Amino acid sequence: MTARRFYRILCIVSVVLALPLLVSPITRCAGAFFGALAVCALAMLLLLWLMARTGGWLRRAAKLLYALGTVLFALFLVTFVAVQLILLRGAHTDPEAEQAQYLLVLGGGIRGDQPSLTLRFRLEAARDCAQRNPDCTLIVCGGQGDDEDYPEAYVMRKWLIEQGIAEDRVLLEDRSVNTIENIQNAKRILDKTAPDGYTTAVVSSGFHLFRARHLMEQAGLDPVAVAAPSPWHLRPVFCLREYFSLVILAATNRW
C-alpha cells in the first residue's frame, strides 16, 4: 500500500468514526481525536501532493514536514500500544481490597436519575465487595456535570441503598469533577471520619485502575483496587481517553 493510499483511507475512516462519536458526551473525546486524526491525514496528503508537484524550497519544506509527521505518527502508535499494555496489566482486583475499611467508588456518568452502564458495573462491583465485607463503608464519588440533572454521588448512593446496602454505610463525595478530585475530596472525608487511621480500596473500571492506583498512592491512600467490567462496545473509546489522560498527567508533572 502506498503512503498516499494509506492516508486517504485513514482520513475517510477517521471522518466516518468521528461523526457519530461527537454526538454523545461519553464518546465526544474520541470523536474529537478522530476528527483531529482526519485533519492530520489530510495534511499528510497535501504534503505528498506538494512533494510530487512542486520543487525548490517548497518541496524541501514539504519533505521536512512530512518526515516530522511520520515520526510523530509512529511515536503515537508506539506509546499508545505501550500504554494499553500497561492498562491491561493494571486491570485486576487486589486481594487486599476484601479487607479494606473504606471503598472509594468512582463515578462514571448518569442518565437522568439512573447510573450509566459503565457506572452500574462499578456499583455492582462495589455492592458485591461490600456484601462480602459487611464492616466496610463506601464513599461514592462524583459531582454534577454540565449535562447531568444531579450529582453522580446522589444517584450512586440511591442505587446502592436500593440494592440493600444500609444508608449509614454510604458516604457522599459530591463536589468532584474528575478522578483527581474524587480521590482528594474522599481523603478529606476520611481524615475527618477516621482520624486514627484507615485502610482503603478504590472501585473503578479495569481500564481506569492503573491511573486510579497511582492517584490513590499520591494522595496517601492505599493503592488497592477492585476491578469492574466495562461495556465492550465502549472499551476502545475509554482506552483511547485513558491514554490521553495519562499523557496529560505526565505532561503537567502530576505523575
Side-chain angles (χ1 to χ4, degrees):
M1 181 185 294
T2 64
R4 186 174 287 103
R5 183 179 177 82
F6 169 76
Y7 284 114
R8 188 180 297 124
I9 293 173
L10 181 62
C11 183
I12 294 170
V13 170
S14 296
V15 170
V16 170
L17 290 173
L19 292 176
L21 290 173
L22 285 169
V23 175
S24 170
I26 295 177
T27 58
R28 197 164 290 156
C29 175
F33 165 76
F34 283 112
L37 190 60
V39 172
C40 291
L42 192 60
M44 295 294 275
L45 285 170
L46 176 59
L47 291 172
L48 285 169
W49 183 86
L50 289 172
M51 289 162 56
R53 301 295 180 89
T54 63
W57 70 268
L58 188 57
R59 184 173 186 274
R60 289 194 298 273
K63 286 182 69 174
L64 181 62
L65 289 173
Y66 181 80
L68 179 61
T70 301
V71 170
L72 291 176
F73 186 65
L75 184 61
F76 163 73
L77 288 179
V78 169
T79 56
F80 183 78
V81 171
V83 166
Q84 299 315 308
L85 292 174
I86 291 171
L87 297 182
L88 188 62
R89 285 192 63 185
H92 64 272
T93 296
D94 299 304
E96 301 91 331
E98 296 293 332
Q99 284 77 47
Q101 294 170 303
Y102 291 90
L103 294 179
L104 280 64
V105 190
L106 303 186
I110 58 175
R111 299 288 174 272
D113 63 348
Q114 295 298 317
S116 66
L117 185 56
T118 300
L119 182 54
R120 183 162 62 80
F121 285 159
R122 295 181 185 183
L123 291 169
E124 288 173 352
R127 175 201 62 196
D128 294 345
C129 191
Q131 289 173 342
R132 293 191 298 271
N133 179 9
D135 295 325
C136 77
T137 299
L138 293 84
I139 303 180
V140 289
C141 304
Q144 184 172 348
D146 295 336
D147 59 339
E148 294 175 337
D149 299 325
Y150 311 93
E152 288 185 30
Y154 290 8
V155 174
M156 296 163 72
R157 185 172 190 270
K158 176 175 175 288
W159 189 93
L160 287 167
I161 291 170
E162 289 173 349
Q163 292 290 309
I165 305 298
E167 290 187 30
D168 60 357
R169 293 184 66 194
V170 186
L171 304 180
L172 283 171
E173 185 289 293
D174 58 356
R175 300 296 181 88
S176 56
V177 297
N178 56 46
T179 305
I180 294 175
E181 291 183 7
N182 284 164
I183 293 171
Q184 289 176 342
N185 293 348
K187 185 177 187 300
R188 293 189 188 99
I189 294 172
L190 287 168
D191 289 342
K192 293 178 181 178
T193 305
D196 295 330
Y198 46 82
T199 57
T200 57
V202 64
V203 182
S204 193
S205 307
F207 69 86
H208 193 214
L209 290 183
F210 175 77
R211 182 160 56 104
R213 282 192 185 92
H214 173 74
L215 294 174
M216 290 279 284
E217 189 171 28
Q218 272 195 334
L221 302 175
D222 300 306
V224 173
V226 176
S230 52
W232 66 268
H233 61 292
L234 291 176
R235 210 166 293 162
V237 172
F238 291 146
C239 287
L240 181 63
R241 189 167 68 183
E242 195 64 15
Y243 167 80
F244 285 107
S245 295
L246 288 170
V247 168
I248 292 171
L249 201 66
T252 55
N253 293 320
R254 304 178 82 169
W255 188 249

